Each structure stands twice: as structure tokens, then as C-alpha cells.
Amino acid sequence: MSRIAYVNGRYVPQSHAMVNVEDRGYQFADGVYEVIAVLDGRLVDGEPHFDRLDRSLAGLRIDPPCTRRVLRLILDQVTRRNRISEGFVYLQITRGVAPRNHAFPARATAPALVVTASRRGPPSPAAVERGVTVVSVPETRWARPDLKTVSLLPNVLAKQQALDADAYEAWFVDPDGRVTEGSSTNAWIVLDGQEIVTRPLGQDILAGITRQTLIAVARASNMRVTERAFSVAEAKSAREAFITSTTSFVMPVVAIDGAPVGAGRPGPVTLRLLDAYRRHLASGGSD
Ligand code: PLP
């Protein structure tokens, strides 16, 4: 079955899905995106994703292309037309098409909306059992990583640097030596006394929806979560470490810069959090 994409008002075979060469997303990375999980054919935690999308659009001063209700209908159609029961939808909104010029187009252009979907399950039990490794890299991104823009070049380069070092993820480190987040994940450690630590929200990290959900889920299970920055050294000497994202769920980190974290295998607190997160998803998420 060929995949179906939505492009500016039309559902088309993905192999024929095209955007104009003067789309500002293509020319300037002048756009934003979201990745939302689908379970049983329904969006998981749709509302928080749409709230973050609105913040990203406002940060770039791009008008929403449609109402939230219509956007939901489009995402639903793409999910159905691709017969996705379990997977992810990707949506991207750019400032639209205009003759190439850095300044916003003088005459308002219609924002461009593209939606695709992919079938993919959660990380396998074997992958969780193995865990992943990370390398630390200097923070090279702009000053607003809280906006989920398609301008991801530092993230792309950092991820490749990780793969070249036989690692899975790169953790960005700010000039004070503290971890901001991964190239496409939020970063966490677990300290003695089972204290779970992750960097507080601000303009320097993306407000991960998995992060938000996990904090709520952990606190509901009477687990202690502290939102504060931590250094790479602290992470290396932590009991456990893990990363979170819509596609990675809760993934144990077993080594940082080649040094094992804790016992060098997935820790009990991380696995308990993954379990609690899975139960949250199975219950349909927050909407
Ligand atoms: N941080 C960055 C830089 C990301 O790109 C992502 C997801 O793509 C995340 C964190 C995790 O966000 P979420 O949990 O909403 O997928």
C-alpha cells in the first residue's frame, strides 16, 4: 500500500507529495513541526502537542493554517488513509511560498501544511534491555531550542557525531558544563535515594511532551522528581540515566562518553518509569 501524505489541502501518494522550491521551509527552515504518537488509531496526548505547536508558531510569528479542530481532522484522515493503528504522525507548518528574501513576505502568504504518518511500534523489549549510549557535545544551537522549528542542523550534526562514536544520542552541554538535552530527546538522571532529576523548562530546551507526562506520572506514583540542571560529571556518577521522547518513550542510558552509568545496564527506577508511562499510553493518554 503506498503511503498517503497531506500537502496543502490535498491527500496525495507520498511519492508524489511535493512542495514549491520557494517554500520558506525549504529555503530558510522557516517553519515548525510536531511528532505525535498514534495508538489504536488515536492521537496520544494531542492537546499538549497542539499547545506546543501554537507556542512554536507564535514564536516564529506564523499564523496557524487552520483551527485545531480542522488540524485534528486532517491528522485523523492521514492516520486512517495510511491504516495506522500504532505509529506516529508528523506535521510541518512553514511560512509558505514567496520569492526568496530573508524578510517576511510583504504580502501575507498562506502558511504551508504537510502531514505524513508512519507505522512503527514502541522500542522493543530487547532495545530497552540493551539501553543506549550517549556522548556529550558542546551546545551549538541557537538561543531558542524551546521552539520546535525545522531548523535542526546542529541536532543533525550532533546525532551523526554520536553515531560516528558508536553511540545512540548526543547530549548538548552548555558553557557551564551542564547538560541541556539530547539532539532529539530530553535528558534525565536518577540519584541516590531514587531522586529523578531533569533540567527545568526554559528557552534552552524543548518542553518535551513525554517529559511533561513522565513528571506527572512519576509524581502520581509518589516518585520524587527534581527539576534542576545537572553536569556531565554528575550524570556519569549517577545511579541511572535515561532519555525521553515521543518515539523513544523512556530509554535507559547505560554509558556516557564511554563510561558506564551505574551498573552499566538499565536501572530499576528507569524501568519502573517506562512501565508507568506505558500504562499512561494504554489508558489513552491525556485526550
Ligand atoms: N528535545 C528535542 C531537541 C527534541 O527534538 C525532542 C523530540 O523530538 C524532545 C526533546 C522530546 O520531545 P517529545 O517528548 O515531545 O517528543
PDB file of all heavy atoms in Angstrom, residues 33-35 49 52 141 145 148 152 155 169 172 181-187 205-212 244-247 277, ligand 1:
ATOM      1  N   TYR A  33       7.318  22.080  13.544  1.00  0.00           N
ATOM      2  CA  TYR A  33       6.787  20.731  13.336  1.00  0.00           C
ATOM      3  C   TYR A  33       6.382  20.111  14.658  1.00  0.00           C
ATOM      4  O   TYR A  33       6.705  20.635  15.731  1.00  0.00           O
ATOM      5  CB  TYR A  33       7.823  19.848  12.621  1.00  0.00           C
ATOM      6  CG  TYR A  33       8.967  19.380  13.490  1.00  0.00           C
ATOM      7  CD1 TYR A  33       9.042  18.058  13.942  1.00  0.00           C
ATOM      8  CD2 TYR A  33       9.982  20.243  13.882  1.00  0.00           C
ATOM      9  CE1 TYR A  33      10.095  17.609  14.728  1.00  0.00           C
ATOM     10  CE2 TYR A  33      11.037  19.809  14.671  1.00  0.00           C
ATOM     11  CZ  TYR A  33      11.081  18.493  15.093  1.00  0.00           C
ATOM     12  OH  TYR A  33      12.129  18.072  15.886  1.00  0.00           O
ATOM     13  N   GLU A  34       5.682  19.001  14.562  1.00  0.00           N
ATOM     14  CA  GLU A  34       5.340  18.175  15.718  1.00  0.00           C
ATOM     15  C   GLU A  34       5.380  16.712  15.297  1.00  0.00           C
ATOM     16  O   GLU A  34       5.125  16.393  14.130  1.00  0.00           O
ATOM     17  CB  GLU A  34       3.921  18.484  16.255  1.00  0.00           C
ATOM     18  CG  GLU A  34       3.803  19.723  17.102  1.00  0.00           C
ATOM     19  CD  GLU A  34       4.531  19.628  18.449  1.00  0.00           C
ATOM     20  OE1 GLU A  34       4.632  18.511  19.005  1.00  0.00           O
ATOM     21  OE2 GLU A  34       5.009  20.664  18.933  1.00  0.00           O
ATOM     22  N   VAL A  35       5.673  15.846  16.228  1.00  0.00           N
ATOM     23  CA  VAL A  35       5.565  14.395  16.035  1.00  0.00           C
ATOM     24  C   VAL A  35       4.671  13.886  17.161  1.00  0.00           C
ATOM     25  O   VAL A  35       4.959  14.117  18.339  1.00  0.00           O
ATOM     26  CB  VAL A  35       6.943  13.701  16.116  1.00  0.00           C
ATOM     27  CG1 VAL A  35       6.785  12.186  15.925  1.00  0.00           C
ATOM     28  CG2 VAL A  35       7.907  14.287  15.095  1.00  0.00           C
ATOM     29  N   HIS A  49       0.511  18.556  22.575  1.00  0.00           N
ATOM     30  CA  HIS A  49       1.281  18.763  21.339  1.00  0.00           C
ATOM     31  C   HIS A  49       0.761  19.991  20.586  1.00  0.00           C
ATOM     32  O   HIS A  49       1.543  20.792  20.072  1.00  0.00           O
ATOM     33  CB  HIS A  49       1.191  17.524  20.434  1.00  0.00           C
ATOM     34  CG  HIS A  49       2.135  16.421  20.826  1.00  0.00           C
ATOM     35  ND1 HIS A  49       3.460  16.422  20.493  1.00  0.00           N
ATOM     36  CD2 HIS A  49       1.942  15.297  21.544  1.00  0.00           C
ATOM     37  CE1 HIS A  49       4.050  15.333  20.972  1.00  0.00           C
ATOM     38  NE2 HIS A  49       3.141  14.625  21.621  1.00  0.00           N
ATOM     39  N   ARG A  52       1.918  23.138  22.293  1.00  0.00           N
ATOM     40  CA  ARG A  52       3.327  23.461  21.974  1.00  0.00           C
ATOM     41  C   ARG A  52       3.441  23.975  20.538  1.00  0.00           C
ATOM     42  O   ARG A  52       4.216  24.900  20.270  1.00  0.00           O
ATOM     43  CB  ARG A  52       4.204  22.219  22.180  1.00  0.00           C
ATOM     44  CG  ARG A  52       5.679  22.499  21.946  1.00  0.00           C
ATOM     45  CD  ARG A  52       6.542  21.324  22.336  1.00  0.00           C
ATOM     46  NE  ARG A  52       6.339  20.175  21.459  1.00  0.00           N
ATOM     47  CZ  ARG A  52       6.886  18.984  21.642  1.00  0.00           C
ATOM     48  NH1 ARG A  52       7.671  18.760  22.687  1.00  0.00           N
ATOM     49  NH2 ARG A  52       6.668  17.982  20.802  1.00  0.00           N
ATOM     50  N   ARG A 141      23.448  25.139  19.477  1.00  0.00           N
ATOM     51  CA  ARG A 141      22.191  25.573  18.864  1.00  0.00           C
ATOM     52  C   ARG A 141      21.923  27.046  19.136  1.00  0.00           C
ATOM     53  O   ARG A 141      22.621  27.679  19.910  1.00  0.00           O
ATOM     54  CB  ARG A 141      21.043  24.705  19.395  1.00  0.00           C
ATOM     55  CG  ARG A 141      21.230  23.232  19.066  1.00  0.00           C
ATOM     56  CD  ARG A 141      20.167  22.370  19.697  1.00  0.00           C
ATOM     57  NE  ARG A 141      20.158  22.474  21.142  1.00  0.00           N
ATOM     58  CZ  ARG A 141      19.182  22.064  21.919  1.00  0.00           C
ATOM     59  NH1 ARG A 141      18.116  21.525  21.386  1.00  0.00           N
ATOM     60  NH2 ARG A 141      19.256  22.184  23.226  1.00  0.00           N
ATOM     61  N   PRO A 145      15.893  26.882  21.605  1.00  0.00           N
ATOM     62  CA  PRO A 145      15.525  25.483  21.325  1.00  0.00           C
ATOM     63  C   PRO A 145      14.154  25.101  21.870  1.00  0.00           C
ATOM     64  O   PRO A 145      13.663  24.002  21.591  1.00  0.00           O
ATOM     65  CB  PRO A 145      16.618  24.662  22.018  1.00  0.00           C
ATOM     66  CG  PRO A 145      17.730  25.607  22.258  1.00  0.00           C
ATOM     67  CD  PRO A 145      17.094  26.962  22.442  1.00  0.00           C
ATOM     68  N   LYS A 148       9.922  24.514  18.509  1.00  0.00           N
ATOM     69  CA  LYS A 148      10.181  23.261  17.780  1.00  0.00           C
ATOM     70  C   LYS A 148      10.230  23.570  16.285  1.00  0.00           C
ATOM     71  O   LYS A 148       9.279  23.304  15.538  1.00  0.00           O
ATOM     72  CB  LYS A 148       9.099  22.228  18.126  1.00  0.00           C
ATOM     73  CG  LYS A 148       9.497  20.797  17.772  1.00  0.00           C
ATOM     74  CD  LYS A 148       8.554  19.818  18.438  1.00  0.00           C
ATOM     75  CE  LYS A 148       8.724  18.386  17.962  1.00  0.00           C
ATOM     76  NZ  LYS A 148      10.009  17.776  18.240  1.00  0.00           N
ATOM     77  N   LEU A 152      17.134  22.224  12.184  1.00  0.00           N
ATOM     78  CA  LEU A 152      17.686  21.208  13.091  1.00  0.00           C
ATOM     79  C   LEU A 152      19.137  20.850  12.782  1.00  0.00           C
ATOM     80  O   LEU A 152      19.609  19.787  13.184  1.00  0.00           O
ATOM     81  CB  LEU A 152      16.820  19.940  13.020  1.00  0.00           C
ATOM     82  CG  LEU A 152      15.434  20.063  13.661  1.00  0.00           C
ATOM     83  CD1 LEU A 152      14.564  18.869  13.308  1.00  0.00           C
ATOM     84  CD2 LEU A 152      15.532  20.204  15.174  1.00  0.00           C
ATOM     85  N   ASN A 155      21.372  19.744  15.568  1.00  0.00           N
ATOM     86  CA  ASN A 155      20.878  18.458  16.079  1.00  0.00           C
ATOM     87  C   ASN A 155      21.297  17.326  15.139  1.00  0.00           C
ATOM     88  O   ASN A 155      21.698  16.250  15.582  1.00  0.00           O
ATOM     89  CB  ASN A 155      19.350  18.477  16.201  1.00  0.00           C
ATOM     90  CG  ASN A 155      18.847  19.688  16.965  1.00  0.00           C
ATOM     91  OD1 ASN A 155      19.119  20.832  16.596  1.00  0.00           O
ATOM     92  ND2 ASN A 155      18.126  19.461  18.033  1.00  0.00           N
ATOM     93  N   GLU A 169      22.859   8.667  21.037  1.00  0.00           N
ATOM     94  CA  GLU A 169      22.363  10.033  21.193  1.00  0.00           C
ATOM     95  C   GLU A 169      23.501  10.947  21.641  1.00  0.00           C
ATOM     96  O   GLU A 169      24.480  10.486  22.262  1.00  0.00           O
ATOM     97  CB  GLU A 169      21.216  10.049  22.228  1.00  0.00           C
ATOM     98  CG  GLU A 169      20.591  11.400  22.571  1.00  0.00           C
ATOM     99  CD  GLU A 169      19.970  12.145  21.393  1.00  0.00           C
ATOM    100  OE1 GLU A 169      20.684  12.395  20.406  1.00  0.00           O
ATOM    101  OE2 GLU A 169      18.788  12.535  21.505  1.00  0.00           O
ATOM    102  N   PHE A 172      23.702  17.707  24.490  1.00  0.00           N
ATOM    103  CA  PHE A 172      24.294  19.042  24.400  1.00  0.00           C
ATOM    104  C   PHE A 172      24.671  19.514  25.804  1.00  0.00           C
ATOM    105  O   PHE A 172      23.918  19.292  26.768  1.00  0.00           O
ATOM    106  CB  PHE A 172      23.307  20.029  23.785  1.00  0.00           C
ATOM    107  CG  PHE A 172      23.064  19.816  22.313  1.00  0.00           C
ATOM    108  CD1 PHE A 172      21.817  19.433  21.838  1.00  0.00           C
ATOM    109  CD2 PHE A 172      24.086  20.027  21.397  1.00  0.00           C
ATOM    110  CE1 PHE A 172      21.595  19.251  20.474  1.00  0.00           C
ATOM    111  CE2 PHE A 172      23.872  19.839  20.019  1.00  0.00           C
ATOM    112  CZ  PHE A 172      22.624  19.453  19.575  1.00  0.00           C
ATOM    113  N   GLU A 181      19.963  19.042  26.767  1.00  0.00           N
ATOM    114  CA  GLU A 181      19.098  17.924  26.357  1.00  0.00           C
ATOM    115  C   GLU A 181      19.786  17.177  25.233  1.00  0.00           C
ATOM    116  O   GLU A 181      20.880  17.545  24.804  1.00  0.00           O
ATOM    117  CB  GLU A 181      17.724  18.447  25.906  1.00  0.00           C
ATOM    118  CG  GLU A 181      17.816  19.356  24.690  1.00  0.00           C
ATOM    119  CD  GLU A 181      16.479  19.940  24.244  1.00  0.00           C
ATOM    120  OE1 GLU A 181      15.439  19.295  24.444  1.00  0.00           O
ATOM    121  OE2 GLU A 181      16.505  21.055  23.684  1.00  0.00           O
ATOM    122  N   GLY A 182      19.146  16.129  24.736  1.00  0.00           N
ATOM    123  CA  GLY A 182      19.699  15.370  23.625  1.00  0.00           C
ATOM    124  C   GLY A 182      19.351  16.021  22.293  1.00  0.00           C
ATOM    125  O   GLY A 182      18.590  16.991  22.237  1.00  0.00           O
ATOM    126  N   SER A 183      19.892  15.445  21.209  1.00  0.00           N
ATOM    127  CA  SER A 183      19.623  16.022  19.885  1.00  0.00           C
ATOM    128  C   SER A 183      18.146  15.874  19.514  1.00  0.00           C
ATOM    129  O   SER A 183      17.622  16.667  18.735  1.00  0.00           O
ATOM    130  CB  SER A 183      20.504  15.361  18.828  1.00  0.00           C
ATOM    131  OG  SER A 183      20.088  14.035  18.579  1.00  0.00           O
ATOM    132  N   SER A 184      17.477  14.861  20.050  1.00  0.00           N
ATOM    133  CA  SER A 184      16.031  14.724  19.807  1.00  0.00           C
ATOM    134  C   SER A 184      15.327  14.092  21.008  1.00  0.00           C
ATOM    135  O   SER A 184      14.291  13.433  20.842  1.00  0.00           O
ATOM    136  CB  SER A 184      15.779  13.887  18.547  1.00  0.00           C
ATOM    137  OG  SER A 184      16.319  12.593  18.708  1.00  0.00           O
ATOM    138  N   THR A 185      15.891  14.304  22.192  1.00  0.00           N
ATOM    139  CA  THR A 185      15.320  13.709  23.407  1.00  0.00           C
ATOM    140  C   THR A 185      15.610  14.620  24.608  1.00  0.00           C
ATOM    141  O   THR A 185      16.546  15.413  24.558  1.00  0.00           O
ATOM    142  CB  THR A 185      15.969  12.338  23.715  1.00  0.00           C
ATOM    143  OG1 THR A 185      17.390  12.505  23.787  1.00  0.00           O
ATOM    144  CG2 THR A 185      15.650  11.297  22.668  1.00  0.00           C
ATOM    145  N   ASN A 186      14.841  14.476  25.656  1.00  0.00           N
ATOM    146  CA  ASN A 186      15.176  15.129  26.922  1.00  0.00           C
ATOM    147  C   ASN A 186      16.055  14.194  27.746  1.00  0.00           C
ATOM    148  O   ASN A 186      16.011  12.985  27.580  1.00  0.00           O
ATOM    149  CB  ASN A 186      13.908  15.516  27.703  1.00  0.00           C
ATOM    150  CG  ASN A 186      13.191  16.704  27.079  1.00  0.00           C
ATOM    151  OD1 ASN A 186      12.097  16.562  26.532  1.00  0.00           O
ATOM    152  ND2 ASN A 186      13.805  17.874  27.128  1.00  0.00           N
ATOM    153  N   ALA A 187      16.883  14.789  28.634  1.00  0.00           N
ATOM    154  CA  ALA A 187      17.896  14.028  29.384  1.00  0.00           C
ATOM    155  C   ALA A 187      17.530  13.979  30.863  1.00  0.00           C
ATOM    156  O   ALA A 187      17.069  14.981  31.436  1.00  0.00           O
ATOM    157  CB  ALA A 187      19.265  14.688  29.210  1.00  0.00           C
ATOM    158  N   ILE A 205      15.724  24.530  26.373  1.00  0.00           N
ATOM    159  CA  ILE A 205      15.386  23.147  25.989  1.00  0.00           C
ATOM    160  C   ILE A 205      13.963  23.105  25.429  1.00  0.00           C
ATOM    161  O   ILE A 205      13.152  24.010  25.672  1.00  0.00           O
ATOM    162  CB  ILE A 205      15.478  22.135  27.167  1.00  0.00           C
ATOM    163  CG1 ILE A 205      14.451  22.460  28.275  1.00  0.00           C
ATOM    164  CG2 ILE A 205      16.877  22.053  27.708  1.00  0.00           C
ATOM    165  CD1 ILE A 205      14.279  21.318  29.291  1.00  0.00           C
ATOM    166  N   LEU A 206      13.693  22.017  24.692  1.00  0.00           N
ATOM    167  CA  LEU A 206      12.329  21.790  24.233  1.00  0.00           C
ATOM    168  C   LEU A 206      11.501  21.240  25.386  1.00  0.00           C
ATOM    169  O   LEU A 206      11.974  20.354  26.116  1.00  0.00           O
ATOM    170  CB  LEU A 206      12.332  20.782  23.075  1.00  0.00           C
ATOM    171  CG  LEU A 206      10.957  20.590  22.442  1.00  0.00           C
ATOM    172  CD1 LEU A 206      10.592  21.788  21.579  1.00  0.00           C
ATOM    173  CD2 LEU A 206      10.899  19.319  21.615  1.00  0.00           C
ATOM    174  N   ALA A 207      10.302  21.775  25.523  1.00  0.00           N
ATOM    175  CA  ALA A 207       9.394  21.245  26.558  1.00  0.00           C
ATOM    176  C   ALA A 207       8.808  19.934  26.041  1.00  0.00           C
ATOM    177  O   ALA A 207       7.730  19.914  25.431  1.00  0.00           O
ATOM    178  CB  ALA A 207       8.295  22.262  26.853  1.00  0.00           C
ATOM    179  N   GLY A 208       9.547  18.840  26.243  1.00  0.00           N
ATOM    180  CA  GLY A 208       9.101  17.542  25.727  1.00  0.00           C
ATOM    181  C   GLY A 208       7.757  17.157  26.318  1.00  0.00           C
ATOM    182  O   GLY A 208       7.526  17.317  27.520  1.00  0.00           O
ATOM    183  N   ILE A 209       6.891  16.625  25.463  1.00  0.00           N
ATOM    184  CA  ILE A 209       5.577  16.186  25.960  1.00  0.00           C
ATOM    185  C   ILE A 209       5.756  14.902  26.785  1.00  0.00           C
ATOM    186  O   ILE A 209       5.095  14.703  27.798  1.00  0.00           O
ATOM    187  CB  ILE A 209       4.589  15.955  24.788  1.00  0.00           C
ATOM    188  CG1 ILE A 209       4.501  17.213  23.900  1.00  0.00           C
ATOM    189  CG2 ILE A 209       3.218  15.543  25.311  1.00  0.00           C
ATOM    190  CD1 ILE A 209       4.158  18.488  24.611  1.00  0.00           C
ATOM    191  N   THR A 210       6.701  14.055  26.361  1.00  0.00           N
ATOM    192  CA  THR A 210       6.972  12.847  27.152  1.00  0.00           C
ATOM    193  C   THR A 210       7.514  13.252  28.518  1.00  0.00           C
ATOM    194  O   THR A 210       7.160  12.656  29.542  1.00  0.00           O
ATOM    195  CB  THR A 210       8.005  11.959  26.422  1.00  0.00           C
ATOM    196  OG1 THR A 210       7.706  11.979  25.025  1.00  0.00           O
ATOM    197  CG2 THR A 210       7.971  10.524  26.934  1.00  0.00           C
ATOM    198  N   ARG A 211       8.378  14.276  28.525  1.00  0.00           N
ATOM    199  CA  ARG A 211       8.940  14.792  29.783  1.00  0.00           C
ATOM    200  C   ARG A 211       7.809  15.234  30.714  1.00  0.00           C
ATOM    201  O   ARG A 211       7.752  14.856  31.888  1.00  0.00           O
ATOM    202  CB  ARG A 211       9.877  15.975  29.455  1.00  0.00           C
ATOM    203  CG  ARG A 211      10.460  16.698  30.668  1.00  0.00           C
ATOM    204  CD  ARG A 211      11.127  17.999  30.218  1.00  0.00           C
ATOM    205  NE  ARG A 211      11.647  18.729  31.349  1.00  0.00           N
ATOM    206  CZ  ARG A 211      10.891  19.454  32.191  1.00  0.00           C
ATOM    207  NH1 ARG A 211       9.568  19.528  32.011  1.00  0.00           N
ATOM    208  NH2 ARG A 211      11.447  20.089  33.201  1.00  0.00           N
ATOM    209  N   GLN A 212       6.880  16.039  30.154  1.00  0.00           N
ATOM    210  CA  GLN A 212       5.759  16.574  30.935  1.00  0.00           C
ATOM    211  C   GLN A 212       4.898  15.426  31.483  1.00  0.00           C
ATOM    212  O   GLN A 212       4.547  15.406  32.672  1.00  0.00           O
ATOM    213  CB  GLN A 212       4.929  17.478  30.002  1.00  0.00           C
ATOM    214  CG  GLN A 212       3.663  18.049  30.583  1.00  0.00           C
ATOM    215  CD  GLN A 212       2.908  18.884  29.538  1.00  0.00           C
ATOM    216  OE1 GLN A 212       3.509  19.558  28.713  1.00  0.00           O
ATOM    217  NE2 GLN A 212       1.596  18.839  29.571  1.00  0.00           N
ATOM    218  N   THR A 244      14.065  10.643  27.075  1.00  0.00           N
ATOM    219  CA  THR A 244      12.641  10.504  26.745  1.00  0.00           C
ATOM    220  C   THR A 244      12.312  11.256  25.460  1.00  0.00           C
ATOM    221  O   THR A 244      12.876  12.312  25.179  1.00  0.00           O
ATOM    222  CB  THR A 244      11.731  11.080  27.854  1.00  0.00           C
ATOM    223  OG1 THR A 244      12.078  12.459  28.095  1.00  0.00           O
ATOM    224  CG2 THR A 244      11.828  10.296  29.139  1.00  0.00           C
ATOM    225  N   SER A 245      11.396  10.696  24.699  1.00  0.00           N
ATOM    226  CA  SER A 245      10.794  11.399  23.562  1.00  0.00           C
ATOM    227  C   SER A 245       9.587  10.607  23.098  1.00  0.00           C
ATOM    228  O   SER A 245       9.404   9.442  23.498  1.00  0.00           O
ATOM    229  CB  SER A 245      11.782  11.552  22.399  1.00  0.00           C
ATOM    230  OG  SER A 245      11.918  10.336  21.709  1.00  0.00           O
ATOM    231  N   THR A 246       8.808  11.231  22.233  1.00  0.00           N
ATOM    232  CA  THR A 246       7.606  10.586  21.714  1.00  0.00           C
ATOM    233  C   THR A 246       7.946   9.262  21.043  1.00  0.00           C
ATOM    234  O   THR A 246       7.205   8.288  21.163  1.00  0.00           O
ATOM    235  CB  THR A 246       6.926  11.530  20.696  1.00  0.00           C
ATOM    236  OG1 THR A 246       6.573  12.729  21.375  1.00  0.00           O
ATOM    237  CG2 THR A 246       5.691  10.914  20.082  1.00  0.00           C
ATOM    238  N   THR A 247       9.064   9.188  20.337  1.00  0.00           N
ATOM    239  CA  THR A 247       9.406   7.960  19.616  1.00  0.00           C
ATOM    240  C   THR A 247      10.291   7.018  20.444  1.00  0.00           C
ATOM    241  O   THR A 247      10.257   5.811  20.252  1.00  0.00           O
ATOM    242  CB  THR A 247      10.114   8.271  18.280  1.00  0.00           C
ATOM    243  OG1 THR A 247      11.191   9.170  18.544  1.00  0.00           O
ATOM    244  CG2 THR A 247       9.160   8.902  17.290  1.00  0.00           C
ATOM    245  N   TYR A 277       4.765   4.868  32.234  1.00  0.00           N
ATOM    246  CA  TYR A 277       4.483   5.623  31.009  1.00  0.00           C
ATOM    247  C   TYR A 277       3.648   4.769  30.048  1.00  0.00           C
ATOM    248  O   TYR A 277       2.682   5.254  29.458  1.00  0.00           O
ATOM    249  CB  TYR A 277       5.800   6.052  30.352  1.00  0.00           C
ATOM    250  CG  TYR A 277       5.605   6.875  29.108  1.00  0.00           C
ATOM    251  CD1 TYR A 277       5.079   8.165  29.183  1.00  0.00           C
ATOM    252  CD2 TYR A 277       5.918   6.370  27.847  1.00  0.00           C
ATOM    253  CE1 TYR A 277       4.873   8.917  28.039  1.00  0.00           C
ATOM    254  CE2 TYR A 277       5.725   7.117  26.705  1.00  0.00           C
ATOM    255  CZ  TYR A 277       5.207   8.386  26.807  1.00  0.00           C
ATOM    256  OH  TYR A 277       4.998   9.137  25.670  1.00  0.00           O
TER     257      TYR A 277
HETATM  258  N1  PLP B   1      14.287  17.594  22.819  1.00  0.00           N
HETATM  259  C1  PLP B   1      14.437  17.703  21.480  1.00  0.00           C
HETATM  260  C2  PLP B   1      15.546  18.563  20.954  1.00  0.00           C
HETATM  261  C3  PLP B   1      13.578  17.020  20.596  1.00  0.00           C
HETATM  262  O1  PLP B   1      13.737  17.138  19.271  1.00  0.00           O
HETATM  263  C4  PLP B   1      12.562  16.196  21.129  1.00  0.00           C
HETATM  264  C5  PLP B   1      11.640  15.470  20.272  1.00  0.00           C
HETATM  265  O2  PLP B   1      11.722  15.490  19.081  1.00  0.00           O
HETATM  266  C6  PLP B   1      12.444  16.101  22.527  1.00  0.00           C
HETATM  267  C7  PLP B   1      13.315  16.818  23.339  1.00  0.00           C
HETATM  268  C8  PLP B   1      11.373  15.243  23.157  1.00  0.00           C
HETATM  269  O3  PLP B   1      10.115  15.838  22.953  1.00  0.00           O
HETATM  270  P1  PLP B   1       8.778  14.956  22.963  1.00  0.00           P
HETATM  271  O4  PLP B   1       8.782  14.202  24.243  1.00  0.00           O
HETATM  272  O5  PLP B   1       7.687  15.960  22.875  1.00  0.00           O
HETATM  273  O6  PLP B   1       8.852  14.056  21.762  1.00  0.00           O
END
